[in-house]
C-alpha cells in the first residue's frame, strides 16, 4: 500500500479518489482534519476496504512509526500542509509547525523504517514530497518561467515554510540516501477546493450575490493547472521519477487574476444566470495582500521530456468542469462554510474593505 498524508484536503482527496479508480493498491490516509480537511471529500470511498483513514498529525512521531510498522507502505506521498498564503500572513506559526516540523518528522520516521528494509523492498521505497512553485519567488513580466534550477526566493510565510521543507527533503537524500522525489506545482483548481482560494471563493461569492474581492490591481499572474492533471503528474513521478530529482509541474496557462474572475463570471452567466445582472458587476477591488508575489510561471519541459507528462485539460475545459462541479455540489460548499469559515472571511476581508 501507499501512505498518503493530507488525503482529506483538496489535492490529496482528488489524488486518493483518482488512485483508487485506477488501481487496487490500498491507500493509508493520514490527515489531522484541520479546517481544510474534510471526510465528505472521500464519501465515495465509504465501506471501501482499500481506503484506510487515520485521524492524526504528521508531527506525531510515535503514531507515524506505528503506521509504518503495521502497514509497511512501499511509498509515502506527502500532501499534508497548511496551504493558504493569506492565513500564513495572519498566523505563520502553524505553517512552521506542520510544513517544516511535520515534514521533518515524516522524513525521520520514513528514514527509520527504510533503514530496516532490505533488497528489493528497500530499493523500491519512495518518499514523494508535494510542493509548490511559490518557493521560487516572484517573476518580472519578461523573466523566463521557473525551471528546476531556479534559486529559491520565497516571499510569504507559506512559501518560506514550503521551501524549508523542500530543503529538508533534498538533504535527507544527499545525507542519508533516502529515496526522495519532489514536485513543485503551480496553482491548482478543481472539485473539493476549499472556498478560501481564488477560484472557489469567486464561484461561491458570485452564487451568493456577494462581492468578488480582487486584491490590488488584479494583474498578478498565476499559472493554473486542473487538479486531475497534477495528480497524474504525481503518479508519473512516483512511478518513474529519478531519485533525488525535483520536477516542476504546470499548465502552460498563465493568466492575470482579473481574467480568471471574468471567466468565472461569464461561465456563471451562461450556466446560472442572475436576474440582477451579469456576475461581473460584483467585482470589487480591495486592499492588496502584503508581499503579494506578482507573477508565477512554470517551465514544465523536464517532466515532459523525462516522463512524457503534459496536462490533459485546457483551462477552458478544466474551468467548465470545475464550475459544473460546484453548481452540482452546493451542499458541500454550504457544509464547509461553517462558523470558523465565516470568522476567517471577516478576519481576512473585514480589514481590506475597498
Ligand atoms: P489543503 O489545505 O486543501 O489540504 C491540506 C490537508 O492537510 C488537509 O486535509 C489538512 O487537514 C491536512 N493537514 C494539515 N495539517 C496537518 C497535520 N499537521 N497533520 C496531518 N494532516 C494535516 O491543501 P491542498 O491545496 O490540497 O495542498 C496539498 C499540498 O499541495 C500542500 O503541500 C501544498 O503546499 C501543495 N500544493 C498546493 C497547490 C494548490 O494550488 N492548492 C499547488 C501546489 C502545491
Ligand atoms: P490564492 O488562490 O490564494 O493562491 P496563491 O496566493 O497561493 O497563488 O490566490 C491566487 C491569486 O488570487 C493571488 O494572486 C491572490 C489573488 N486573490 C484575490 O485577488 N482575491 C482573493 O480573495 C483571493 C483569495 C486571492
Amino acid at each position: 500500500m501507499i501512505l498518503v498524508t493530507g488525503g482529506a484536503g483538496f489535492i490529496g482527496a482528488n489524488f486518493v479518489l483518482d488512485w483508487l479508480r485506477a488501481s487496487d493498491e490500498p491507500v493509508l490516509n493520514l490527515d489531522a482534519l484541520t479546517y481544510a480537511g474534510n471526510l465528505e471529500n472521500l464519501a465515495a470511498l465509504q465501506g471501501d476496504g482499500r481506503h484506510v483513514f487515520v485521524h492524526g498529525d504528521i508531527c506525531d512521531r510515535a503514531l507515524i512509526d506505528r503506521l509504518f510498522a503495521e502497514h509497511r507502505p512501499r511509498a509515502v506521498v506527502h500532501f499534508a500542509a497548511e496551504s493558504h498564503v493569506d492565513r500564513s500572513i495572519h498566523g505563520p506559526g502553524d505553517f512552521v509547525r506542520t510544513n517544516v516540523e511535520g515534514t521533518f518528522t515524516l522524513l525521520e520516521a520514513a528514514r527509520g523504517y527504510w533503514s530496516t528494509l532490505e533488497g528489493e523492498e528497500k530499493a523500491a521505497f519512495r518518499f514523494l514530497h508535494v510542493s509548490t512553485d511559490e518557493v521560487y519567488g516572484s517573476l518580472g513580466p519578461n523573466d523566463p518561467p521557473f525551471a528546476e534550477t531556479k534559486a529559491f526566493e520565497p516571499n510569504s510565510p507559506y512559501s518560506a515554510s514550503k521551501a524549508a521543507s523542500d530543503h529538508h527533503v533534498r538533504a535527507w537524500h544527499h545525507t542519508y540516501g533516502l529515496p526522495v522525489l519532489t514536485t513543485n506545482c503551480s496553482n491548482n483548481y478543481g472539485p473539493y477546493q476549499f472556498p478560501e482560494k481564488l477560484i472557489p471563493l469567486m464561484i461561491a461569492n458570485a452564487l451568493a450575490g456577494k462581492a468578488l474581492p480582487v486584491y490590488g490591481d488584479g494583474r498578478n499572474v498565476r499559472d493554473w493547472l486542473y487538479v486531475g492533471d497534477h495528480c497524474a503528474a504525481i503518479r508519473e513521478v512516483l512511478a518513474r521519477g529519478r531519485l533525488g530529482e525535483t520536477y516542476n509541474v504546470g499548465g502552460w496557462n498563465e493568466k492575470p487574476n482579473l481574467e480568471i474572475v471574468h471567466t468565472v463570471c461569464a461561465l456563471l452567466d451562461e450556466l446560472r444566470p442572475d436576474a440582477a445582472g451579469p456576475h461581473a458587476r460584483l467585482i470589487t477591488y480591495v486592499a492588496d495582500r502584503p508581499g503579494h508575489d506578482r507573477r508565477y510561471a512554470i517551465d514544465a519541459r523536464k517532466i515532459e521530456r523525462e516522463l512524457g507528462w503534459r496536462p490533459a485539460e485546457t483551462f477552458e475545459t478544466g474551468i467548465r468542469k470545475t464550475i459544473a462541479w460546484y453548481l452540482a455540489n452546493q451542499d458541500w460548499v454550504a457544509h464547509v462554510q461553517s462558523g470558523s469559515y465565516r470568522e476567517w472571511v471577516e478576519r481576512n476581508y473585514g480589514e481590506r474593505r475597498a
Side-chain angles (χ1 to χ4, degrees), residues 5-13 30-38 41 56-59 78-84 97-99 102 129-134 158 162 183-189 192-194 196-197 224 230:
T5 71
F10 161 50
I11 306 173
L30 172 64
D31 196 297
L33 297 179
T34 67
Y35 78 92
N38 183 354
N41 301 354
D57 195 316
I58 57 165
C59 297
H78 175 36
F79 294 95
E82 289 292 336
S83 69
H84 188 34
R97 182 179 175 278
T98 286
N99 300 359
H129 174 60
V130 180
S131 192
T132 167
D133 61 354
E134 303 192 25
Y158 165 64
K162 290 297 290 190
T183 53
N184 292 88
C185 187
S186 58
N187 285 54
N188 283 212
Y189 66 97
Y192 303 110
Q193 189 167 29
F194 194 79
E196 64 184 358
K197 305 277 168 67
W224 294 92
H230 185 191

Side-chain angles (χ1 to χ4, degrees), residues 88-118:
S88 82
I89 295 167
H90 287 274
D94 288 346
F95 287 71
V96 173
R97 182 179 175 278
T98 286
N99 300 359
V100 186
E101 194 186 324
T103 302
F104 161 74
T105 306
L106 205 57
L107 282 167
E108 278 294 80
R111 179 165 78 90
Y113 171 68
W114 174 72
S115 71
T116 67
L117 302 178
E118 285 175 358

Side-chain angles (χ1 to χ4, degrees), residues 24 41 64 118 125 193 201 219 236 248 269 277 302-303 327 332 334 344:
D24 275 334
N41 301 354
I64 299 168
E118 285 175 358
F125 187 79
Q193 189 167 29
L201 181 95
R219 292 183 205 281
E236 289 298 334
N248 285 356
D269 289 343
K302 177 177 172 182
I303 188 172
L327 286 174
W332 181 93
W344 163 250

Side-chain angles (χ1 to χ4, degrees), residues 83-86 132-134 158 187-188 193 196-202 212-216 218 220-222 224 257 261 286 288-289 292-294 296 348-349 352:
S83 69
H84 188 34
V85 174
D86 291 318
T132 167
D133 61 354
E134 303 192 25
Y158 165 64
N187 285 54
N188 283 212
Q193 189 167 29
E196 64 184 358
K197 305 277 168 67
L198 180 71
I199 289 179
L201 181 95
M202 293 298 160
L212 307 180
V214 170
Y215 296 168
N220 299 66
V221 171
R222 299 289 182 265
W224 294 92
N257 294 339
V261 177
V286 299
D288 208 351
R289 169 188 282 172
H292 195 177
D293 283 340
R294 193 63 174 167
Y296 303 141
N348 189 44
Y349 296 96
R352 288 182 192 265

Side-chain angles (χ1 to χ4, degrees), residues 50-63:
R50 300 171 305 163
H51 178 238
V52 180
F53 183 78
V54 178
H55 184 191
D57 195 316
I58 57 165
C59 297
D60 182 345
R61 176 69 193 268
L63 169 66

